[in-house]
Amino acid sequence: QQKVQQSPESLIVPEGGMASLNCTFSDRNSQYFWWYRQHSGEGPKALMSIFSNGDKKEGRFTAHLNKASLYVSLHIKDSQPSDSALYFCAVSRTNAYKVIFGKGTHLHVLP
Amino acid sequence: EAAVTQSPRNKVAVTGGKVTLSCNQTNNHNNMYWYRQDTGHGLRLIHYSYGAGSTEKGDIPDGYKASRPSQENFSLILELATPSQTSVYFCASGGTERLFFGHGTKLSVL
């Protein structure tokens, strides 16, 4: 059974700072990795995906994947108060397969 | 943006009662999912489906049944609700890319 673990549980960064979120997974057959963000009172929304080893940048967000190390991360540059939310790492073997989420990281960006 | 609608938004049930949570998607996605979200546990997969007529067990299926009568609809059924099933339930749909979530159903079992 796939295990997806995220760290830290909670993270506080100042406005304009860098936030780094970590995720490890257990299934070496995992192929698809997504980051989701959930604001209070809403359902999670997809933020970005990464499918190949290395870095992928989208605006202020950079995802990093190392399949051999069973590790994926998300870095948020120039953090804004609106980035304050619960961030989930999601992993699946294929796109047409069950998607397993981690427990999430609470990010708080202080003005 | 893809639309996933859950009903009801809030539900209070009694222990031992039957509860049905409904989900409708207009995205023509093949895959649909039911998750529950609890503090300290994140999103845990209960059941999922690859298409009409199919249901698969997720990681925590005990005490839950699922039904996918059509491409658009996916229901989660609690035949004998227990207080431990008090939670927020999210339905999601997905094709070959990201999942799209509904707004959630807050269920309280007293």
Side-chain angles (χ1 to χ4, degrees):
Chain A
Q1 182 172 329
Q2 170 84 275
K3 301 292 184 187
V4 179
Q5 296 186 304
Q6 292 186 240
S7 64
E9 288 186 21
S10 183
L11 180 62
I12 300 174
V13 300
E15 184 174 356
M18 172 76 83
S20 294
L21 290 66
N22 305 301
C23 174
T24 61
F25 53 96
S26 62
D27 185 353
R28 290 193 174 276
N29 292 313
S30 300
Q31 296 292 328
Y32 294 87
F33 307 87
W34 284 87
W35 286 96
Y36 286 77
R37 180 164 73 178
Q38 183 182 30
H39 287 107
S40 182
E42 300 178 0
K45 291 182 180 178
L47 194 58
M48 66 182 297
S49 64
I50 185 165
F51 304 150
S52 301
N53 284 329
D55 294 335
K56 179 181 180 182
K57 184 177 180 182
E58 291 186 359
R60 297 185 294 110
F61 300 87
T62 299
H64 172 79
L65 175 62
N66 183 328
K67 291 182 185 179
S69 298
L70 305 174
Y71 173 76
V72 60
S73 62
L74 178 69
H75 305 274
I76 307 173
K77 178 183 174 183
D78 188 23
S79 297
Q80 301 297 308
S82 58
D83 293 328
S84 296
L86 180 59
Y87 288 76
F88 289 106
C89 171
V91 182
S92 66
R93 285 186 174 184
T94 71
N95 267 335
Y97 198 73
K98 66 179 185 178
V99 182
I100 303 300
F101 286 73
K103 292 183 179 181
T105 292
H106 283 274
L107 173 63
H108 305 274
V109 181
L110 300 180
Chain B
E1 167 129 324
V4 178
T5 304
Q6 293 183 233
S7 61
R9 292 293 295 269
N10 292 280
K11 173 75 176 178
V12 178
V14 296
T15 298
K18 182 177 180 178
V19 177
T20 300
L21 306 183
S22 299
C23 179
N24 175 273
Q25 56 111 351
T26 57
N27 315 311
N28 198 33
H29 287 155
N30 288 330
N31 303 335
M32 295 187 75
Y33 306 79
W34 277 106
Y35 292 89
R36 63 178 283 178
Q37 183 173 22
D38 304 283
T39 301
H41 291 279
L43 288 165
R44 292 183 289 175
L45 181 63
I46 306 170
H47 284 288
Y48 59 106
S49 169
Y50 292 131
S54 90
T55 60
E56 304 289 336
K57 292 181 179 179
D59 290 344
I60 55 164
D62 293 346
Y64 302 93
K65 290 172 58 177
S67 175
R68 183 88 181 268
S70 65
Q71 180 82 337
E72 297 79 19
N73 296 294
F74 191 37
S75 298
L76 185 68
I77 302 152
L78 291 66
E79 294 279 4
L80 294 170
T82 68
S84 64
Q85 293 174 314
T86 293
S87 186
V88 179
Y89 292 85
F90 285 99
C91 174
S93 75
T96 58
E97 293 288 331
R98 65 189 65 192
L99 298 187
F100 293 88
F101 283 82
H103 280 86
T105 293
K106 185 175 181 179
L107 173 65
S108 298
V109 182
L110 306 178

